[in-house]
Amino acid sequence: METIEYLWKDRKRFLGMPLSFTRYRLSEDRLFCETGFLNVKSDEVLLYRVRDLRLTMSLGQRIFGVGTVCVVSSDKSIPHLDLKNVKSPREVKELIHKHVEASKDRRRMRATELLGGEDGPACQEYEEDADLDMDEEEI
C-alpha cells in the first residue's frame, strides 16, 4: 500500500494549542479531515472539486493566531468543510488555493460560474483560452 505524502498538517486548536482530536491534512490531490479518538471519522475532498475558499477570523481567533478556512466543493458527501482554528490561516488558504488550481490544470478542468437570474442560478462552463466576441452593448 502506498503512503500518502502530506504537504500540510494541523489540528483544530483551543486557545492556540492543538488539544483536539480533529486533524486536517493536505496532499497533492485531496484535503482530509479526521475526527475522533475512539470512533474515528475520516472525510476527504478532491481538490479539483473545490469551488470556493473563504477565511474567517474572529477577534478571539486573531488574538491566538488562528482562523477558520471554509472550503466549498461540488462533492456530494461534503459540500462544505470548515478547517476550524488552524494556525496561520492565510497561508493555509493560499496553499490550498494553489493546489486546487494545479489539480484543475492537471485534469484540464475549468471553473464553473454561477449566474443568477429570475429563474434561479444556472451553471455555465467557460474556457480561458476561448475567443469571446462581445459587443459593448452586451457588457
Side-chain angles (χ1 to χ4, degrees):
M1 187 167 132
E2 186 177 325
T3 60
I4 299 172
E5 183 179 328
Y6 297 111
L7 305 170
W8 170 80
K9 299 179 196 177
D10 201 1
R11 288 178 176 249
K12 181 178 176 182
R13 295 170 179 265
F14 292 106
L15 302 176
M17 297 178 291
L19 301 175
S20 169
F21 293 108
T22 302
R23 292 167 297 283
Y24 306 114
R25 294 181 180 102
L26 176 70
S27 71
E28 274 301 311
D29 60 345
R30 292 178 285 177
L31 180 62
F32 300 90
C33 176
E34 190 174 279
T35 58
F37 177 66
L38 295 176
N39 296 323
V40 178
K41 176 185 167 192
S42 293
D43 291 320
E44 68 181 60
V45 175
L46 295 170
L47 291 181
Y48 77 89
R49 290 188 171 170
V50 172
R51 295 175 58 195
D52 193 25
L53 294 170
R54 183 177 58 226
L55 172 65
T56 57
M57 296 173 65
S58 67
L59 177 61
Q61 286 177 320
R62 288 185 301 178
I63 289 171
F64 291 105
V66 297
T68 300
V69 178
C70 305
V71 179
V72 179
S73 72
S74 60
D75 195 312
K76 300 288 185 199
S77 62
I78 313 167
H80 187 87
L81 176 65
D82 286 339
L83 308 178
K84 296 180 183 177
N85 295 336
V86 294
K87 187 176 166 184
S88 305
R90 286 183 178 94
E91 288 83 5
V92 171
K93 180 181 171 271
E94 289 304 313
L95 181 67
I96 294 171
H97 172 72
K98 183 176 86 172
H99 287 287
V100 164
E101 293 301 316
S103 181
K104 286 181 180 181
D105 286 343
R106 277 194 303 272
R107 290 183 174 262
R108 298 176 189 227
M109 294 186 65
R110 288 289 147 219
T112 59
E113 292 291 324
L114 290 177
L115 301 173
E118 293 178 7
D119 297 327
C123 290
Q124 176 185 15
E125 291 189 24
Y126 68 93
E127 284 283 334
E128 285 181 5
D129 300 332
D131 294 329
L132 299 175
D133 296 326
M134 296 177 69
D135 296 329
E136 289 182 4
E137 296 171 9
E138 294 176 345
I139 297 176

